[in-house]
Amino acid sequence: MRVDLKALAFAEGGYLLVKRALRQAGPDAAIVVTGTSPALAVDVRAWCRLEGHRFEWHTTTGIHGGRATIINGGADSSRWVGASWVGDDPDSCDSVAEHPPRTWGLAARGATIEAGTPEFDFHIVDKLDVWSDDAAGIYRQAIGAQWNPETAIPWSAAFAIADDIEDAVVQIMTFLIENETAALIVPSRFIAQMHPHFKEVMQVLAVQAADEARHIEVFTRRARLKRNALGLSTASGQASLKTLIDEPEFAIASFLLSVLGEGTFLSLLWFIERYAPDPVTAAVARLAAQDEARHVAFGLAHLGQHLTREPDFRPRLADAIRRRHDALRHTAGLNAEVFDALLLMAAGSWEHDALRGGYGRLHQLMRDMDDGRRKRLVRLGFPESEAAELSALHARNLM
Ligand SMILES: [Fe+2]
Ligand SMILES: [Fe+2]
């Protein structure tokens, strides 16, 4: 085989033609390279030494360049001996392995991976624990539904609001912000522990974390619209959220946070949207609720798939609710200020009839939250009676 580089310098792309010719020729085969570039002899000699090819140079007198014979040393092909395919099925980049080896590391599914890649310290390496076939669809939907806080919310809308009602809104926002912070930390922590072979799940959790970042932003902006200080944060509220952050197992954390906590928050956010005293509060609650619906959907999707394959996992989920309830038994539950703020907001004024109406709406909210939790538990295969018992044990902090 002959490669004529003519005036093309070896470094400016000539080497690529030589490399291709050697690959085509195969190990131990010889090729002849000619060219008129002045540095050709020096460049080819250095490159051959580096790549492990044998090399012989023939000078042509009177002109620049010359002719080289190169014998393929075979290092390039032997480098890929022992390489493996990243995935279960060599015909499909979409095949997800049940137990991807840690040595696949960061390599994309469908890539060929060189032997000797270092082992990464991923903790979550079992497909059963995280996977949902719906993840790719939920990710695409989430990306399409991203909204810009700057333009999606009528920040400069004029509204008149009584001082006490504004204080109530600020207290509710303060409560939401700390809950959103827990909802950001939990998925973020698991992203870092998960084998990236489960790419779609990693992507869903990343968008989920971005959603929560945005919720923190808009609730903070609403709280500070007319006030400099935020409301109260209680020890019991933080103790409740800490149990979510401390939960080491993905499936259990996801069950407690997404199915039960965010599920309960869906009702809360729609309640805030409905009884908001101003258009900004209504908008931030509505937009956050739409995002939360996806977070709940993913939790239900992967836990549903997990339970179909491993029904024995169901009692462990039930135990997690009971354990969390026991751990929080001696705490005060929902911040009284949050309850009072929700009541006053739903009442709209201090009039007796208004307060009675607000109280009735708040109790309807508690029933709606309970109904929602029970429905989701039944969807995951819990019998009605156990679903009712477990729903009643859900954290009084709501998340
Ligand atoms: Fe959120
Ligand atoms: Fe969320």
Side-chain angles (χ1 to χ4, degrees):
M1 198 176 305
R2 194 178 192 92
V3 181
D4 187 6
L5 299 180
K6 299 197 171 82
L8 179 68
F10 193 74
E12 68 186 10
Y15 78 94
L16 217 54
L17 292 167
V18 172
K19 212 171 179 175
R20 182 177 65 159
L22 282 166
R23 202 166 30 234
Q24 286 165 357
D28 299 321
I31 66 164
V32 172
V33 178
T34 55
T36 58
S37 159
L40 187 64
V42 174
D43 288 347
V44 177
R45 177 175 285 122
W47 183 79
C48 284
R49 198 168 291 142
L50 201 71
E51 300 284 319
H53 302 305
R54 272 183 291 144
F55 163 86
E56 220 173 282
W57 180 254
H58 320 275
T59 312
T60 314
T61 43
I63 57 161
H64 285 307
R67 183 167 64 90
T69 304
I70 303 175
I71 298 160
N72 188 341
D76 191 47
S77 49
S78 60
R79 183 172 163 205
W80 294 97
V81 169
S84 52
W85 162 267
V86 178
D88 253 6
D89 172 4
D91 293 324
S92 167
C93 292
D94 292 326
S95 71
V96 179
E98 290 292 332
H99 310 286
R102 291 183 171 92
T103 49
W104 282 356
L106 310 174
R109 282 206 311 262
T112 299
I113 182 169
E114 188 179 6
T117 298
E119 188 165 307
F120 283 72
D121 193 21
F122 302 132
H123 296 296
I124 304 172
V125 291
D126 295 330
K127 182 181 177 186
L128 178 68
D129 291 338
V130 296
W131 188 254
S132 161
D133 292 334
D134 295 341
I138 291 174
Y139 172 72
R140 273 196 301 277
Q141 198 193 352
I143 287 295
Q146 295 294 294
W147 44 274
N148 178 355
E150 206 51 53
T151 50
I153 292 155
W155 297 112
S156 48
F159 59 86
I161 189 167
D163 273 354
D164 289 341
I165 305 281
E166 177 65 19
D167 288 342
V169 171
V170 170
Q171 179 57 63
I172 293 166
M173 294 297 140
T174 305
F175 169 74
L176 292 177
I177 293 163
E178 66 187 43
N179 282 272
E180 297 293 348
T181 303
L184 187 158
I185 290 172
V186 172
S188 308
R189 192 160 56 84
F190 288 112
I191 293 172
Q193 298 180 359
M194 184 173 299
H195 199 310
H197 185 69
F198 307 123
K199 175 184 58 153
E200 291 80 354
V201 175
M202 182 176 74
Q203 289 169 310
V204 166
L205 296 180
V207 191
Q208 191 167 325
D211 289 343
E212 309 302 11
R214 201 171 44 228
H215 300 169
I216 292 169
E217 175 195 337
V218 297
F219 294 149
T220 305
R221 276 178 80 169
R222 172 60 191 90
R224 298 194 55 185
L225 209 52
K226 292 172 189 290
R227 292 279 188 276
N228 280 321
L230 267 68
L232 303 165
S233 165
T234 61
S236 61
Q238 299 238 24
S240 181
L241 294 176
K242 188 168 182 299
T243 59
L244 296 177
I245 288 182
D246 290 346
E247 173 53 54
E249 199 172 328
F250 174 75
I252 289 179
S254 167
F255 175 65
L256 295 174
L257 173 72
S258 294
V259 175
L260 294 169
E262 292 175 312
T264 300
F265 258 56
L266 264 182
S267 307
L268 176 65
L269 290 165
W270 287 120
F271 176 88
I272 295 169
E273 194 256 354
R274 183 160 175 198
Y275 298 111
D278 63 89
V280 175
T281 303
V284 293
R286 184 185 68 250
L287 289 161
Q290 287 165 1
D291 292 338
E292 293 307 332
R294 282 194 310 274
H295 307 171
V296 177
F298 177 66
L300 283 170
H302 82 82
L303 285 161
Q305 202 157 334
H306 190 147
L307 289 165
T308 305
R309 290 183 54 190
E310 191 190 16
D312 289 350
F313 188 55
R314 202 170 282 111
R316 287 198 51 216
L317 293 177
D319 281 350
I321 299 181
R322 295 193 184 99
R323 258 191 297 117
R324 185 172 182 220
H325 177 262
D326 285 348
L328 296 171
R329 206 179 38 223
H330 301 298
T331 62
L334 182 66
N335 172 346
E337 285 75 13
V338 173
F339 190 89
D340 297 351
L342 288 167
L343 199 164
L344 185 59
M345 186 188 76
S349 86
W350 292 103
E351 296 297 325
H352 292 188
D353 284 348
L355 286 172
R356 189 179 297 116
Y359 181 81
R361 288 169 197 136
L362 195 49
H363 273 265
Q364 184 57 47
L365 169 65
M366 297 301 158
R367 280 194 292 275
D368 292 346
M369 288 171 163
D370 182 51
D371 282 349
R373 282 194 299 268
R374 279 162 39 194
K375 266 190 211 125
R376 290 179 197 106
L377 288 165
V378 168
R379 245 187 87 182
L380 290 179
F382 289 94
E384 296 269 2
S385 57
E386 194 181 12
E389 179 228 334
L390 294 172
S391 172
L393 296 179
H394 178 62
R396 285 166 296 170
N397 178 52
L398 306 180
M399 182 63 91

